[in-house]
């Protein structure tokens, strides 16, 4: 039985893509939106069973204020946060605000679905390994936390970075090839290499991972496009 839900994310493109994927799997998506000042009111008025709340900065002050308001005005709405990992402070802040679950931002669609169903049933939707990792980080913090976005960015060539930015903007292989002035087969190869290096299985997962880790913003700011697609 499908879940009646709303999808909220820092990046509207990702919210809409996730909403489309869930619709195809039989769920009823009431709306897909970015977390603006009025998003809590929108959730309250639409009254979904579940709200997927994506954020790239869960530890920022006020990041989960909308969840607090939703819980106060529509306590029957189960909010599942999609956030970066590792983010022990973010996980703690999400549950403190009243979230019913926390899912990795790069989780496959099946994992997101399982979390939605558990949250709707009143269960806590969080993977045990996620909690173990968060507790381990809280108990044994590293002196200089690894910058995941920077680490991933170093794995990609300048051309692969541009491909990733174009993928995140929703361009298909034909548009990527035309924009970079390369053959479609070459563009397809670049896309596959990007997915392999990032360790993801789809373009949507690559865009989500890039956005959540800050890789997308770094790439867009640091790799101006030339006529041949090279930075």
């Amino acid at each position: 039985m499908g879940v009646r839900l709303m999808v909220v994310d820092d990046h509207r493109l990702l919210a809409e893509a996730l909403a489309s994927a869930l619709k195809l799997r039989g769920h009823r998506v009431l709306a897909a939106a970015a977390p603006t000042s009025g998003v809590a009111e929108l959730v309250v008025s639409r009254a979904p069973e579940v709200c997927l709340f994506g954020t790239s900065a869960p530890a920022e002050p006020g990041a989960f204020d909308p969840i607090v308001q939703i819980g106060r005005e529509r306590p029957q709405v189960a909010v599942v946060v999609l956030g970066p990992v590792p983010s022990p402070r973010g996980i703690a802040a999400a549950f403190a605000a009243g979230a019913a679950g926390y899912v990795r931002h790069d989780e496959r669609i099946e994992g997101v679905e399982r979390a939605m169903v558990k949250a709707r049933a009143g269960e806590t939707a969080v993977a045990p390994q996620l909690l173990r990792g968060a507790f381990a980080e809280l108990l044994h913090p590293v002196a200089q936390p690894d910058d995941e976005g920077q680490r991933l960015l170093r794995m990609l060539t300048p051309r692969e970075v541009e491909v990733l930015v174009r993928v995140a903007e929703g361009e298909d292989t034909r548009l990527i090839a035309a924009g970079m002035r390369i053959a479609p087969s070459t563009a397809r190869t670049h896309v596959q290499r990007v997915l392999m290096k990032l360790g993801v299985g789809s373009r949507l997962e690559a865009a989500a991972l890039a956005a959540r880790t800050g890789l997308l913003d770094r790439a867009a700011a640091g790799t101006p496009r030339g006529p041949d697609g090279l930075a």
Side-chain angles (χ1 to χ4, degrees):
M1 183 175 174
V3 176
R4 192 175 72 254
L5 72 144
M6 287 182 59
V7 183
V8 177
D9 196 282
D10 287 342
H11 297 267
R12 178 175 288 276
L13 174 64
L14 297 181
E16 293 175 349
L18 180 56
S20 296
L22 290 169
K23 282 182 182 178
L24 290 174
R25 300 176 74 89
H27 301 288
R28 183 185 174 195
V29 180
L30 303 180
T36 62
S37 58
V39 71
E41 288 80 2
L42 182 60
V43 174
V44 169
S45 65
R46 296 292 182 88
E49 295 175 305
V50 175
C51 173
L52 294 178
F53 191 96
T55 177
S56 58
E60 289 295 315
F64 296 132
D65 285 353
I67 298 179
V68 175
Q69 183 177 345
I70 293 168
R72 184 172 58 245
E73 300 184 31
R74 285 281 186 181
Q76 68 271 33
V77 176
V79 180
V80 176
V81 173
L82 306 177
V85 176
S87 181
R89 292 184 182 277
I91 295 172
F95 282 105
Y102 191 103
V103 180
R104 290 175 59 109
H105 58 76
D106 55 353
E107 179 64 72
R108 293 185 179 276
I109 193 71
E110 295 84 0
V112 176
E113 273 191 307
R114 285 194 295 271
M116 287 163 39
V117 173
K118 289 186 69 174
R120 182 178 64 174
E123 300 177 37
T124 300
V126 58
Q129 61 268 30
L130 192 59
L131 286 180
R132 285 197 294 270
F135 290 150
E137 173 64 20
L138 287 171
L139 290 172
H140 307 288
V142 293
Q144 295 181 331
D146 180 40
D147 186 332
E148 182 70 2
Q150 186 62 40
R151 183 184 69 80
L152 293 173
L153 192 60
R154 287 196 297 266
M155 296 168 57
L156 305 177
T157 66
R159 179 161 288 194
E160 289 167 348
V161 169
E162 181 177 351
V163 168
L164 177 60
V165 172
R166 290 179 180 274
V167 165
E169 290 174 349
E171 294 188 10
D172 58 18
T173 301
R174 179 182 58 82
L175 288 176
I176 293 173
M180 297 179 66
R181 299 184 182 180
I182 57 179
S185 59
T186 302
R188 192 173 299 109
T189 297
H190 282 316
V191 171
Q192 290 303 316
R193 285 178 178 171
V194 169
L195 298 184
M196 180 182 67
K197 287 186 176 182
L198 295 182
V200 297
S202 71
R203 296 181 182 215
L204 176 57
E205 289 180 68
L209 177 60
R212 300 276 189 252
T213 60
L215 191 162
L216 188 59
D217 294 332
R218 290 170 185 259
T223 56
R225 297 174 185 173
D228 62 350
L230 290 173

